[in-house]
């Protein structure tokens, strides 16, 4: 039982270490940016992140708010 547990922990440690080789052992190591907004191909197609679109939309005034301001 204990051998299986130690083997599992060792395999997990090796897997994490191998996935992060570039990050752990490089001076400028960083995880790749997988955000949609950072992709040039997506920008060229006019596609952006849903979170960014929501942030932009929440900052805009609605049509009703603009009409009420005009009447005052």
């Amino acid at each position: 039982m204990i051998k299986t547990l130690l083997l599992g922990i060792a395999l997990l440690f090796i897997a994490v270490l191998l996935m992060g080789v570039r990050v752990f052992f490089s001076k400028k190591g960083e995880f790749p940016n997988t955000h949609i907004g950072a992709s040039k191909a997506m920008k060229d197609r006019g596609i952006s992140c849903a979170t960014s679109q929501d942030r932009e939309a929440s900052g805009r005034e609605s049509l009703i708010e603009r009409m009420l301001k005009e009447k005052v």
Side-chain angles (χ1 to χ4, degrees):
M1 170 80 177
I2 194 79
K3 285 183 181 181
T4 306
L5 182 63
L6 290 176
L7 181 64
I9 291 172
L11 287 174
L12 185 63
F13 175 75
I14 291 169
V16 170
L17 188 65
L18 289 175
M19 284 190 294
V21 166
R22 186 174 131 206
V23 176
F24 297 138
F25 300 113
S26 174
K27 287 186 179 182
K28 293 185 179 181
E30 59 184 34
F31 288 106
N33 188 359
T34 58
H35 193 265
I36 292 174
S39 171
K40 185 180 182 315
M42 293 293 193
K43 285 181 185 177
D44 292 343
R45 293 182 178 136
I47 299 171
S48 62
C49 177
T51 306
S52 301
Q53 288 176 342
D54 186 46
R55 190 178 331 116
E56 290 172 6
S58 67
R60 296 185 200 140
E61 288 182 324
S62 70
L63 178 61
I64 295 172
E65 290 172 339
R66 285 185 281 172
M67 289 173 61
L68 289 173
K69 280 186 177 179
E70 289 177 9
K71 288 187 176 186
V72 175

